[in-house]
């Protein structure tokens, strides 16, 4: 069995849905490493009785901490029950987290149906390396070279 690093996140209005889903899938979830933002992690740990690596609350930087872990290759799956009908005070952080999960092509569920598909996938038990359309490190190198060329061009114009 290949343990996955699964991040569980939920907006306040969706926390009860995530907890209900997590309780239903407790047997599967306890076989993996769980990560979560503050309050959601506290609730998951309390209700499931399993350890959860907790980051700060989303509005206090937890979404960004989680995004950083994804960028470092330290999260395998993101399950984020977000509320599409209510504006969140930290909406830019939410969008950034979802964007980074797409950039690094990690399996991401934003609702219960997709979470059910992910948790029941046979790939959950196997080693899985996401294929990426582009390599983020190569992208960064290209950007660095472009900026160096721009700076050289500006210096050349001054000389």
């Amino acid at each position: 069995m290949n343990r996955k690093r699964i991040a569980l996140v939920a907006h306040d209005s969706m926390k009860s849905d995530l907890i209900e889903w997590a309780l239903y899938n407790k047997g599967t979830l306890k076989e993996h490493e769980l990560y979560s933002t503050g309050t959601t992690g506290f609730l998951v740990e309390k209700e499931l009785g399993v350890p959860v690596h907790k980051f700060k609350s989303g509005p206090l930087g937890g979404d960004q901490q989680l995004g950083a872990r994804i960028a470092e290759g330290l999260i395998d799956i993101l399950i984020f029950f977000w509320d599409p009908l209510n504006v969140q005070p930290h909406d830019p952080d939410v969008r950034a987290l979802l964007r980074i999960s797409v950039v690094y092509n990690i399996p991401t569920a934003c609702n219960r149906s997709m979470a059910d598909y992910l948790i029941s996938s046979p790939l959950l038990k196997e080693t899985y390396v996401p294929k990426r359309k582009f390599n983020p490190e190569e992208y960064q190198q290209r950007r660095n070279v472009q900026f160096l060329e721009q700076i050289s061009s500006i210096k050349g114009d001054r000389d």
Side-chain angles (χ1 to χ4, degrees):
M1 169 76 170
N2 186 4
R3 287 175 54 92
K4 299 286 192 284
R5 296 160 298 188
I6 302 174
L8 302 171
V9 184
H11 283 150
D12 289 348
S13 61
M14 304 299 286
K15 287 189 190 325
S16 61
D17 291 344
L18 180 70
I19 296 301
E20 182 181 304
W21 177 86
L23 283 167
Y24 182 80
N25 291 289
K26 178 180 177 179
T28 301
L29 290 173
K30 71 181 184 180
E31 296 174 1
H32 301 278
E33 285 183 58
L34 303 180
Y35 294 80
S36 190
T37 51
T39 306
T40 303
F42 169 79
L43 294 170
V44 169
E45 192 171 73
K46 182 178 182 293
E47 294 298 321
L48 269 62
V50 298
V52 176
H53 303 275
K54 292 177 284 303
F55 299 110
K56 294 179 187 251
S57 176
L60 299 177
D63 296 330
Q64 293 176 350
Q65 289 177 300
L66 190 49
R69 297 289 293 224
I70 291 170
E72 294 167 357
L74 300 174
I75 297 293
D76 301 306
I77 296 171
L78 172 62
I79 296 175
F80 187 174
F81 284 19
W82 62 281
D83 184 347
L85 301 178
N86 290 306
V87 177
Q88 303 296 318
H90 62 297
D91 252 6
D93 298 338
V94 171
R95 284 194 310 275
L97 176 57
L98 293 172
R99 184 182 66 77
I100 207 75
S101 75
V102 171
V103 167
Y104 285 89
N105 196 26
I106 67 161
T108 301
C110 294
N111 59 44
R112 189 174 186 143
S113 295
M114 193 63 227
D116 287 339
Y117 273 82
L118 285 179
I119 203 79
S120 63
S121 170
L123 295 174
L124 190 68
K125 296 177 182 170
E126 299 175 13
T127 299
Y128 180 80
V129 178
K131 292 184 171 123
R132 298 191 179 118
K133 186 172 183 168
F134 68 94
N135 181 318
E137 287 73 26
E138 288 175 11
Y139 172 80
Q140 184 62 53
Q141 275 300 106
R142 281 195 312 274
R143 298 268 303 172
N144 292 348
V145 168
Q146 288 172 348
F147 282 116
L148 282 175
E149 289 170 354
Q150 286 177 349
I151 291 169
S152 295
S153 170
I154 291 169
K155 284 182 176 178
D157 291 345
R158 288 186 195 161
D159 293 340

